[in-house]
Amino acid sequence: MAFLKKINSKAKADANTGFGTNASSYGGRFINKSGNANIKKSGIGLFDSISWYHTMLNIPRWKFMVIIVVFYFSVNFIFASIYYGIGVEHLNGVVATSTIDKFGQAFFFSIQTFTTVGYGHISPSGFLTSFTAAVEALFGLLSFAIATGLFYGRFSKPKAFIRFSHNALIAPYGTGTGLMLRMTPYKNANLTDAEVKVTLGMVLDEGGKLVNKFYTLDLELAKINSLTLSWTLVHPITESSPLYNFTKEDYENINGEILVFLKVFDDMFSTTVAKRTSYSFSEIVYGAKFIPMYFRSNDENKTVLHIDKLNAFEKVEL
């Protein structure tokens, strides 16, 4: 990977980005496409480095459901094994002869106790079995309380339902060119007071030392009153831009990244939500422009927004 040795002298570096300047200490991009920092923490225990509450709120829906189901059956399997170890003769109402039937009835008694359903067909007798059932009932109440809180947290968590185009473009703009990227809301949310900041991060070779440099990119529009359709962010590449005089080969060979920070007010959550993403230079298409993604409906009464056209572009000559 080539490193830039000189940049436009009219561009002013930003020292307040929160990223370090020593490029030799960094690996890969600064921010992932998902918006998460590209950081791996070490030197601390696994359980100390992870917030399990945040993890359970942020993991995909299918993983969350798999964890709930696996936890549910695993706990009941453990308690069923305890009941079976104590002896199913201490469970009144168990009518079984084979080992599988005995364990199966102990398992379903565990489910009834864990969920506090208590059909009454089977009941514990003896101190040890009754004590185990009491512990399981308490554990079940606490487990369902936690699961309910996680379900509510996942549904009620403020989230910016916004998607960014996969690629940024170097496109015609006025009499010159501009860096363009596009975003759009994709759910039935009302978003207002949208504000965005775009930062360019590059690795420069200064006197044989690799240094991270960051530059705030001026935008045609950095704020809009309402984000209901698509919003194309445009950075005019003028003589004061750090991207001035960059060629197609520069974007292909230089180690650089465009960092995007968005905040917008969601009136449903009645709070400000944030979204982040980034574009490495390899994800910038030189000589292209976005294809429009919203049109008038056939009855001319609505505007139709085509979310699937978010990243649609066509090649142009610069």
Side-chain angles (χ1 to χ4, degrees):
M1 181 69 70
F3 301 100
L4 191 64
K5 294 185 178 180
K6 186 177 181 182
I7 196 169
N8 184 6
S9 59
K10 295 182 180 180
K12 296 182 179 180
D14 186 356
N16 301 318
T17 61
F19 297 98
T21 60
N22 187 2
S24 61
S25 300
Y26 273 81
R29 61 201 304 162
F30 298 104
I31 295 178
N32 296 318
K33 293 292 287 185
S34 63
N36 296 323
N38 187 30
I39 301 294
K40 178 182 179 180
K41 298 181 176 67
S42 66
I44 190 172
L46 175 64
F47 291 99
D48 291 329
S49 65
I50 297 177
S51 169
W52 294 106
Y53 178 73
H54 287 80
T55 300
M56 292 298 289
L57 292 188
N58 291 323
I59 59 176
R61 187 181 297 112
W62 71 269
K63 288 186 178 180
F64 178 79
M65 294 306 302
V66 167
I67 290 174
I68 294 295
V69 172
V70 170
F71 175 80
Y72 176 78
F73 283 102
S74 297
V75 168
N76 282 289
F77 180 84
I78 293 172
F79 276 100
S81 300
I82 295 174
Y83 292 128
Y84 185 82
I86 295 173
V88 294
E89 62 272 13
H90 296 288
L91 296 176
N92 296 327
V94 171
V95 180
T97 56
S98 67
T99 300
I100 295 179
D101 287 342
K102 290 179 180 179
F103 185 84
Q105 294 204 35
F107 181 80
F108 286 109
F109 170 73
S110 172
I111 290 179
Q112 295 173 31
T113 305
F114 185 75
T115 59
T116 67
V117 171
Y119 290 122
H121 174 65
I122 302 175
S123 60
S125 66
F127 173 78
L128 192 55
T129 306
S130 299
F131 178 77
T132 303
V135 171
E136 183 179 13
L138 176 62
F139 189 74
L141 287 172
L142 296 177
S143 299
F144 278 102
I146 294 173
T148 301
L150 290 174
F151 270 106
Y152 177 77
R154 289 179 64 90
F155 279 106
S156 62
K157 176 189 173 185
K159 182 179 179 182
F161 296 108
I162 295 172
R163 289 180 179 173
F164 292 93
S165 59
H166 180 73
N167 297 103
L169 311 180
I170 302 298
Y173 178 74
T175 58
T177 60
L179 172 72
M180 301 185 186
L181 58 99
R182 190 157 65 174
M183 71 181 74
T184 186
Y186 63 93
K187 290 193 181 252
N188 55 334
N190 294 319
L191 305 177
T192 58
D193 298 327
E195 182 177 355
V196 69
K197 181 178 180 180
V198 179
T199 300
L200 167 65
M202 285 191 298
V203 179
L204 305 183
D205 187 342
E206 294 186 348
K209 181 181 179 181
L210 298 182
V211 179
N212 291 329
K213 288 287 187 179
F214 299 91
Y215 302 86
T216 299
L217 300 183
D218 296 329
L219 300 175
E220 176 190 42
L221 285 176
K223 297 180 181 180
I224 58 174
N225 294 331
S226 179
L227 181 54
T228 56
L229 297 171
S230 63
W231 184 15
T232 301
L233 301 179
V234 180
H235 164 65
I237 301 179
T238 63
E239 293 183 357
S240 61
S241 170
L243 298 174
Y244 188 63
N245 285 334
F246 270 41
T247 64
K248 180 180 179 181
E249 289 71 25
D250 290 331
Y251 290 106
E252 293 174 348
N253 298 317
I254 293 174
N255 187 10
E257 186 176 347
I258 307 296
L259 312 177
V260 184
F261 305 90
L262 169 72
K263 59 181 180 180
V264 61
F265 184 82
D266 189 323
D267 64 359
M268 179 61 67
F269 293 118
S270 191
T271 190
T272 298
V273 292
K275 189 81 171 182
R276 298 172 300 276
T277 192
S278 76
Y279 299 85
S280 64
F281 274 14
S282 62
E283 294 166 337
I284 297 177
V285 180
Y286 190 89
K289 67 176 182 179
F290 285 114
I291 296 174
M293 59 182 296
Y294 59 88
F295 307 90
R296 183 183 299 171
S297 63
N298 293 332
D299 60 8
E300 300 186 353
N301 289 327
K302 285 185 178 296
T303 302
V304 181
L305 179 64
H306 296 271
I307 306 297
D308 57 336
K309 295 182 181 294
L310 175 61
N311 198 55
F313 61 84
E314 59 185 6
K315 299 289 289 184
V316 294
E317 292 292 333
L318 295 181

